[in-house]
Amino acid sequence: MVPVVIKIKKAVVSYREDVALRGVSLEVKAGELIGIIGPNGAGKTTLLTLVNGLGHLLQGEVWVLGHNLARGCPAALRSKIGYVPQLPAIDPRMPVTAREVVMMGRYGRLGFFRRPGPGDWQVVDRMLELVGMTALAGRPIGHLSGGEQQRVAIARALAQEPSILLLDEPTASLDRRAQQQILQLVQRIHQERKLTTLMVTHSLAGLTELCDRLVLMKKGRIWKTGNPEELLQDRVLEQLF
Amino acid sequence: MSILSYKFMQEALLAGLLAGVACSLIGVFVVTMHLSFIGVSLSHAAFAGALFATWLGFEPLLGAILFSLAGAAAIGPLADRGEFNPDTPIGIIFSITMGLAFLFMGLLPGPKTQALELLWGSILTVTTADLWLLAVVTIIVTGLVVMFFKEIQAVIFHREMARAVGIPADAIFYSILFLTGATVTASLRSIGGLLIFNLILNPAAAAYQLTYSLKYMFFLAALFGVLSCWAGLGVSYILDVPSGAAIVLTSAVIFVLATIFSPKRKVKQWQENE
């Protein structure tokens, strides 16, 4: 029997006067790739941040890899969860290279006072190769295109050697070609590594082949969940959006 | 007899070395994290603290330390709880401490020379105690940058990402702000509250123009900071002009030269021609 690695029970999250999640419950089994879709403000990003402990749980329960997050999310647990946030605006003159950004994924595992060793750099170079960024590894991160920065962010999350991968709109603000490349990369990573993956996306193309399951969110609630073929129907999407 | 054989000049050069390193290292945080006004804000907090201590009959530096560190400690939580960009609480601290400074100046009878000296500073009249304080802060700042370089690098790059990979990003960020307060306070007597702003910003901004490596940026900033102080002192002696002004203008010249010869500008021109 496949173990459940994420268990969310009646989770409520509130920011200021807005209730972002209203009693959300979800179970995710090891190795599943789940697509999360829904209109803006549905609570999709909040659901991801609940899993890696960056969101503030008001009520309910969240269990991740056997840890109850109501008691806080220890740094050691965070280092097992690779998180790719929405593409941030990066200063083009930021004095950090793509290779150094990927190495940052190792920092949580290394802990204080330990410097990256040759083994860590090997992991970093392997991840850069996996996402097709070896040739641009020495370039300043701010000089890369949006699609390239997104690949670096995915490599950084993978360099953590995570048990869970969280992707928040990895194809947002990218052109069609870059979107396809990123989705193919996510699919390849999932096939090769069988990583439990939660991906928030607005890009519906290719989700049928990519995802094991879809979660449709609306107004802070999980509206429907199930098979992508059944849910990616015009009549369902019209009601969702 | 060479000017370098005078004790006051030797002490001024030592103060320039220590303050140049500490302020410039702090400047790297200030420039990369876009906290430009933190120097001026905390030096005015220190000024208000010095006036408050003088009014109560205590040593002005004690009040300066207290207010500067309290201001630095308040910026991070104020920014995070209020969901502001840090520039907003920096401005709020600046306005509050300016108000307090004017209040204490009004309440303080007689001359305010001691407190005002902290605002202007005098690198040529530093005491052994000032040098010790500066040395301790410089060693702490340098040591922490070396020890926690990887955590600092991640926080400078993206605080949320740093938090997500398991780095205590908020503690690192608050510590950076606290160290800024400590550096401002330790440099008050020698560099002066008004000049610190310059010594924090210019050498780091010059280094930012020249490298894409954070390690080199720290190194270059420290080098430019010391160079500004030492060359400024030399210019001040040769031209018989105030040392503080000479240090400020020297660091400004270094910044202008770094901007003109910046390889980062060449990249921009290449992009335009493509």
Side-chain angles (χ1 to χ4, degrees), chain A residues 17 50 92 117 133 162 226:
Chain A
E17 291 169 8
L50 205 53
M133 287 296 294

mmCIF file of all heavy atoms in Angstrom, chain A residues 17 50 92 117 133 162 226:
data_model
loop_
_atom_site.group_PDB
_atom_site.id
_atom_site.type_symbol
_atom_site.label_atom_id
_atom_site.label_comp_id
_atom_site.label_asym_id
_atom_site.label_seq_id
_atom_site.Cartn_x
_atom_site.Cartn_y
_atom_site.Cartn_z
ATOM 1 N N GLU A 17 -7.964 40.210 6.816
ATOM 2 C CA GLU A 17 -9.424 40.025 6.829
ATOM 3 C C GLU A 17 -9.877 38.977 5.822
ATOM 4 O O GLU A 17 -11.076 38.744 5.662
ATOM 5 C CB GLU A 17 -10.106 41.363 6.540
ATOM 6 C CG GLU A 17 -9.925 42.356 7.671
ATOM 7 C CD GLU A 17 -10.368 43.753 7.280
ATOM 8 O OE1 GLU A 17 -10.949 43.927 6.214
ATOM 9 O OE2 GLU A 17 -10.096 44.662 8.064
ATOM 10 N N LEU A 50 1.126 25.885 2.910
ATOM 11 C CA LEU A 50 0.700 25.132 4.094
ATOM 12 C C LEU A 50 1.558 23.868 4.236
ATOM 13 O O LEU A 50 1.922 23.459 5.334
ATOM 14 C CB LEU A 50 -0.772 24.746 3.916
ATOM 15 C CG LEU A 50 -1.610 24.484 5.160
ATOM 16 C CD1 LEU A 50 -1.531 25.645 6.122
ATOM 17 C CD2 LEU A 50 -3.056 24.223 4.765
ATOM 18 N N PRO A 92 19.133 42.501 -12.175
ATOM 19 C CA PRO A 92 20.106 41.980 -13.148
ATOM 20 C C PRO A 92 21.550 42.042 -12.657
ATOM 21 O O PRO A 92 22.404 41.322 -13.141
ATOM 22 C CB PRO A 92 19.923 42.895 -14.368
ATOM 23 C CG PRO A 92 18.675 43.631 -14.150
ATOM 24 C CD PRO A 92 18.365 43.620 -12.694
ATOM 25 N N GLY A 117 30.850 20.796 0.105
ATOM 26 C CA GLY A 117 31.999 19.987 -0.300
ATOM 27 C C GLY A 117 31.895 19.557 -1.756
ATOM 28 O O GLY A 117 30.904 19.888 -2.429
ATOM 29 N N MET A 133 20.894 23.335 -18.020
ATOM 30 C CA MET A 133 21.462 24.664 -17.769
ATOM 31 C C MET A 133 22.970 24.643 -17.549
ATOM 32 O O MET A 133 23.525 25.643 -17.096
ATOM 33 C CB MET A 133 20.773 25.287 -16.539
ATOM 34 C CG MET A 133 19.348 25.738 -16.778
ATOM 35 S SD MET A 133 19.226 27.064 -17.980
ATOM 36 C CE MET A 133 20.065 28.363 -17.112
ATOM 37 N N PRO A 162 14.807 16.485 -2.382
ATOM 38 C CA PRO A 162 13.594 16.526 -1.551
ATOM 39 C C PRO A 162 12.764 15.245 -1.643
ATOM 40 O O PRO A 162 12.926 14.462 -2.577
ATOM 41 C CB PRO A 162 12.824 17.708 -2.147
ATOM 42 C CG PRO A 162 13.203 17.685 -3.595
ATOM 43 C CD PRO A 162 14.617 17.178 -3.668
ATOM 44 N N GLY A 226 -10.019 14.752 -8.744
ATOM 45 C CA GLY A 226 -10.202 13.496 -9.474
ATOM 46 C C GLY A 226 -9.327 13.370 -10.688
ATOM 47 O O GLY A 226 -8.304 14.061 -10.822
#
